[in-house]
């Protein structure tokens, strides 16, 4: 559960910085060890939730697809 929460927190922080964040900045913002941060960033990048360019991480295509898949007039969904 902790790793899922950490991954979601990483996504939230990266999404809040449209210009992107590097791994060291993410680690500092979240108070995480750098190796843990790299592991989370690599996993999220591999899954398409983040993308990396020139050492900076930004929201990736999977996150954008996910955010646009919910109809705008719905307040919640059933899983």
């Amino acid at each position: 559960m902790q790793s899922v929460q950490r991954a979601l927190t990483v996504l939230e922080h990266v999404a809040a910085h449209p210009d992107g964040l590097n791994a060291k900045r993410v680690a500092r913002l979240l108070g995480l060890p750098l190796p843990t941060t790299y592991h989370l960033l690599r996993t999220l990048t591999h899954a398409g939730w983040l993308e990396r360019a020139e050492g900076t991480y930004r929201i990736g295509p999977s996150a954008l697809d996910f955010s646009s898949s919910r109809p705008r007039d719905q307040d919640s969904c059933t899983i």
Side-chain angles (χ1 to χ4, degrees), residues 6-7 9-11 13-15 17 20-34 36-38 40-41 44 50 55-58:
R6 285 179 173 175
T9 301
V10 168
L11 285 172
H13 276 76
V14 172
H17 293 85
L21 294 171
N22 65 32
K24 288 182 181 181
R25 180 89 191 272
V26 173
R28 277 194 302 264
L29 287 170
L30 301 180
L32 295 173
L34 193 54
T36 300
T37 303
Y38 275 118
L40 291 166
L41 291 168
L44 290 166
L50 294 178
T56 302
Y57 294 88
R58 292 181 178 84

Side-chain angles (χ1 to χ4, degrees), residues 55-70:
T56 302
Y57 294 88
R58 292 181 178 84
I59 290 297
S62 292
L64 296 172
D65 290 345
F66 183 78
S67 69
S68 66
S69 67
R70 185 174 134 210

